[in-house]
Amino acid sequence: MSITKNNTLHWHLLAAAIVGIWGATFVNTKVLFNSGLTPLEIFVLRFIIAYVCIWFISPRKLFSKTWRDELIMVLLGITGGSVFFLAENYAVGLTYVNNVSFIVCTAPLMTVILGIMFVKSIKATWSLILGSVIALLGVAIVIFNGSLVLHLNPWGDLLALLASVCWAVYSLLMKRISHQYSAVFITRKIFFYGLLTVLPAFFFDPWTATSAMLFTPKVVLNLLFLGLIASFLCFVLWTLVIAKIGAMTSSNYLYLNPISTVVISAFVLDEPMTAIAYVGSALILAGVIISNK
C-alpha cells in the first residue's frame, strides 16, 4: 500500500463509521414518530441540540469571507438540513424505514450524475460505475430482504428520492467550500440555516408535542442520539472526510447505510434479517471497495 493510501485509510474507516451511525437514525426517527412527534418537530429538536453544542467549539466568526460563500452556506443548510431531513423524516412516517434507506442510498449515483454534468474535474471511471452498480444491487437485496413484494407509499417514495437528490447537491457544494473554511464553522452554518429555512413549515404543520411527551426516557435518549452523535459529531467529521477524500468517494460510503438500518431495525422494530440480506451486505462492501479503489 502506498504512503498516500496509508495516510487516507483512517478517513475511509471514519466515513464507514459515520454512515453506520446514520443508518441507525432511520430507526431512531421511526421510534420518535411512533412516540407522537411529527417529522418537523424531530428535525427542529435534533438541530437545536446540535447547534447549541457546536457553539462551544466554534470560532466566534459570524459570516463567511464573501456573500457568495454565505449563499453557498444557505444552500448547504437547505440541501443538507431542512429540505433533506424533512423529506427523509416524512418519508419514514409514510413507509417502512428499510424502503427509505434504499431510496436515500441512491444519493451516490445522483452525486455521480450531477458531478459529471456540472463539475468539470469529475470524470466517470469504469471502477466507479461498476462499483456503484454492484453496491446498488446489494442495497436492493438488503432492503427487499428476500421479499418479492416491496410495499411502497408513492408519496414516501418521492420524498425519499427528493432527499437523495438533496444530499447529492449537498456533497458537491461541500466539495466546493470544504477547503476554504473549517469543518466546525461550515457545520455551524448548516445547522443555523437549516433551522432558519425550516421555520415556514410550521405554518402548515403546527407544533403539537407536549412537555410530557418530550421528557419520556425513550424520546430523550433518541433525540440526544440524533442531536449529539448523528448531527453534531457526525456532521463535523463528515465535512473533514469530504475535504480529505472527496465528495464522490465519500458519497459511495452511503451504500453502507442499509446494513446498519436492517440490523438495528431487526432488533428495535422486529423487522427480520434473512440470509439473503447478508449476501446483499457483501455486495455493498464489494461495490464500495471497487468504486473507491
Side-chain angles (χ1 to χ4, degrees):
M1 184 177 286
S2 67
I3 294 176
T4 302
K5 287 184 178 179
N6 275 317
N7 289 338
T8 60
L9 177 61
H10 62 283
W11 294 109
H12 288 271
L13 294 175
L14 180 59
I18 292 170
V19 169
I21 292 172
W22 281 343
T25 62
F26 291 103
V27 178
N28 297 106
T29 301
K30 189 75 171 186
V31 170
L32 291 172
F33 183 83
N34 291 338
S35 298
L37 273 69
T38 68
L40 180 56
E41 291 165 349
I42 294 170
F43 167 76
V44 170
L45 291 169
R46 171 181 182 168
F47 262 44
I48 286 176
I49 293 171
Y51 187 62
V52 170
C53 290
I54 204 167
W55 266 106
F56 288 99
I57 62 171
S58 175
R60 294 300 180 258
K61 179 181 179 181
L62 293 180
F63 297 102
S64 306
K65 299 171 186 177
T66 65
W67 285 109
R68 185 175 182 178
D69 288 350
E70 192 69 18
L71 178 59
I72 292 178
M73 298 295 182
V74 175
L75 293 175
L76 286 172
I78 294 171
T79 57
S82 56
V83 175
F84 171 79
F85 280 105
L86 282 186
E88 182 182 274
N89 289 356
Y90 277 104
V92 166
L94 290 171
T95 187
Y96 298 115
V97 293
N98 287 346
N99 295 348
V100 178
S101 180
F102 165 63
I103 297 168
V104 171
C105 278
T106 61
L109 289 182
M110 294 292 183
T111 306
V112 171
I113 294 170
L114 293 178
I116 293 171
M117 290 174 61
F118 298 108
V119 182
K120 292 181 179 179
S121 62
I122 295 177
K123 305 295 181 182
T125 63
W126 281 111
S127 62
L128 180 63
I129 295 172
L130 178 62
S132 297
V133 171
I134 292 174
L136 190 59
L137 175 61
V139 170
I141 292 174
V142 169
I143 301 305
F144 295 165
N145 210 12
S147 175
L148 296 178
V149 179
L150 180 63
H151 302 284
L152 284 176
N153 180 302
W155 285 110
D157 189 2
L158 291 173
L159 287 172
L161 187 61
L162 174 61
S164 171
V165 174
C166 282
W167 193 260
V169 175
Y170 170 84
S171 298
L172 294 175
L173 289 173
M174 187 63 74
K175 172 183 170 64
R176 180 188 182 96
I177 205 78
S178 61
H179 293 287
Q180 301 178 41
Y181 299 91
S182 71
V184 174
F185 177 79
I186 294 173
T187 306
R188 194 196 78 209
K189 302 294 280 187
I190 292 169
F191 291 155
F192 174 76
Y193 284 120
L195 287 169
L196 184 65
T197 55
V198 85
L199 292 179
F202 280 107
F203 288 106
F204 306 97
D205 190 3
W207 187 278
T208 59
T210 63
S211 57
M213 182 190 303
L214 293 176
F215 289 104
T216 59
K218 180 169 63 175
V219 170
V220 170
L221 289 174
N222 280 280
L223 283 175
L224 287 177
F225 178 83
L226 290 175
L228 290 176
I229 306 300
S231 295
F232 167 58
L233 180 61
C234 287
F235 266 70
V236 172
L237 294 177
W238 191 254
T239 302
L240 290 173
V241 166
I242 290 178
K244 296 297 182 180
I245 66 176
M248 307 294 287
T249 301
S250 57
S251 288
N252 274 312
Y253 278 100
L254 293 177
Y255 285 123
L256 299 175
N257 239 328
I259 296 177
S260 56
T261 303
V262 168
V263 171
I264 296 173
S265 65
F267 288 102
V268 179
L269 302 176
D270 296 323
E271 296 182 6
M273 180 72 173
T274 63
I276 197 169
Y278 291 106
V279 175
S281 298
L283 286 174
I284 293 171
L285 292 172
V288 169
I289 292 171
I290 292 171
S291 61
N292 288 330
K293 186 176 179 181

